[in-house]
């Protein structure tokens, strides 16, 4: 009898923890109910903090950088945010249940989906890098379409945000793939300053309408992209539960090993981008329209390769 009572208490505690971890966003205006002035809430929104979660995740020193917010006001804001967004320890069981709710969007190729265990997952950053014509842009265009498909077809019934720093986005390519271009919000970024501002704008848009996929083309000449920018992308993934896909170029690695092993390539950005990405995928050319994708690093995927091809309908399986 005592054992059954203990089991019931443990189950009840797990249900309570799971309920707390459910992905429900609080608009930043909700802080007014905790005594935060509307003027201070407006300052938070102007700084790109549009949800209570974003306020709770922001370090105190960054909140102090917001104009006309004193230390006393910042402490009061942080206290109010912490009451709405729990940041303490929890058990792995509700976290596992939350992971089961992740949506995985098909890449268009069943072989590629197999090594990704379903497709591109939400709530994390996936980096795709490779040489020129390795299929990065074509895969991103295909994801713009598959993201909008019904859940039973491997989609997410969601919208797409596309931040283009290379000028390679083509709406007519979407028409070729699926005869539709709606539900794709596009922005062209010519340097790092607009890219940073676009992330703030994206956060405010996500409060009103939830996208499911954010695609960011990173210009290879923008070496000055800081860890802060990449952390902002991860913050979007954590806060709104969206899938973030970034593309990256490669450079030749010139060292002593090239004499014996031939020319080697490596992705631009070094360890900064490597640690900022949850999953890293390397693309390379095959024969004709065939491309090869390799899982380089991932917390849950095994290192594996898959072949796919680029067709008029986007990414597809290789026809043997």
């Amino acid at each position: 009898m005592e054992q059954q009572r203990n089991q019931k208490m443990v189950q009840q505690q797990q249900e309570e923890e799971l309920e707390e971890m459910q992905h429900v966003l609080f608009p930043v205006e909700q802080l007014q109910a905790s005594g935060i002035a509307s003027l201070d809430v407006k300052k938070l929104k102007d700084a790109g903090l549009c949800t209570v979660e974003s306020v709770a995740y922001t370090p105190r020193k960054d909140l102090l950088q917001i104009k006309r917010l004193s230390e006393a006001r910042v402490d009061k804001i942080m206290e109010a945010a912490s009451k709405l967004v729990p940041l303490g320890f929890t058990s792995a069981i509700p976290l596992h249940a939350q992971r089961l709710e992740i949506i995985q969007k098909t890449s268009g190729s069943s072989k590629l989906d197999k090594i990704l265990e379903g497709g591109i997952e939400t709530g994390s950053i996936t980096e795709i890098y490779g040489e020129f014509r390795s299929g990065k842009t074509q895969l991103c265009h295909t994801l713009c379409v598959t993201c909008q498909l019904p859940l039973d077809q491997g989609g997410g019934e969601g919208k797409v945000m596309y931040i283009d720093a290379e000028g390679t986005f083509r709406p007519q390519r979407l028409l070729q793939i699926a005869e539709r271009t709606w539900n794709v919000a596009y922005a062209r970024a010519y340097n790092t300053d607009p890219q940073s501002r676009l992330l703030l704008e994206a956060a405010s848009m996500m409060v009103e309408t939830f996208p499911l996929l954010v695609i960011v083309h990173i210009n290879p000449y923008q070496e000055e992209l800081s860890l802060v920018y990449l952390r902002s992308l991860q913050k979007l993934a954590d806060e709104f539960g969206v899938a973030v896909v970034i593309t990256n170029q490669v450079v030749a690695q010139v060292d002593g090993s090239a004499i014996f092993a031939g020319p080697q390539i490596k992705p631009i950005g070094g360890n900064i981008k490597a640690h900022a990405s949850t999953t890293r995928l390397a693309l390379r050319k095959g024969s004709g329209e065939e491309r090869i994708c390799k899982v380089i690093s991932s917390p849950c995927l095994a290192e594996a390769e898959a072949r796919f091809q680029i067709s008029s309908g986007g990414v597809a399986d290789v026809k043997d």
Side-chain angles (χ1 to χ4, degrees), residues 169-204:
F169 177 76
R170 296 293 182 269
Q172 58 266 38
R173 188 69 180 105
L174 301 185
L175 291 173
Q176 292 174 349
I177 296 173
E179 299 184 355
R180 63 170 124 185
T181 59
W182 58 84
N183 286 341
V184 177
Y186 171 80
R188 180 75 163 93
Y190 293 92
N191 54 59
T192 54
D193 289 338
Q195 277 189 293
S196 299
R197 288 197 298 269
L198 285 170
L199 288 188
L200 296 179
E201 185 178 345
S204 62

Side-chain angles (χ1 to χ4, degrees), residues 31 38 45 55-56 63 68 76 80 95 102 107 136 161 172 183 217 220 228 230 236 240 250 252 254 284 306 310-311:
L31 289 175
S38 59
K45 292 190 68 174
V55 176
L63 292 176
R68 298 179 182 176
K76 186 177 180 181
L95 181 61
I102 285 177
S107 63
K136 302 184 297 295
M161 284 185 176
Q172 58 266 38
N183 286 341
H217 275 298
V228 175
L230 297 171
L236 288 181
F240 297 99
V250 296
V254 182
R284 67 180 190 269
I310 307 297
S311 66

Side-chain angles (χ1 to χ4, degrees), residues 105-113 139 142-143 146 314-317:
K105 296 168 291 300
T106 177
S107 63
S109 166
S110 60
K111 299 291 180 64
L112 183 51
D113 289 344
L139 179 55
T142 303
L143 289 172
T146 60
V315 171
D317 288 325

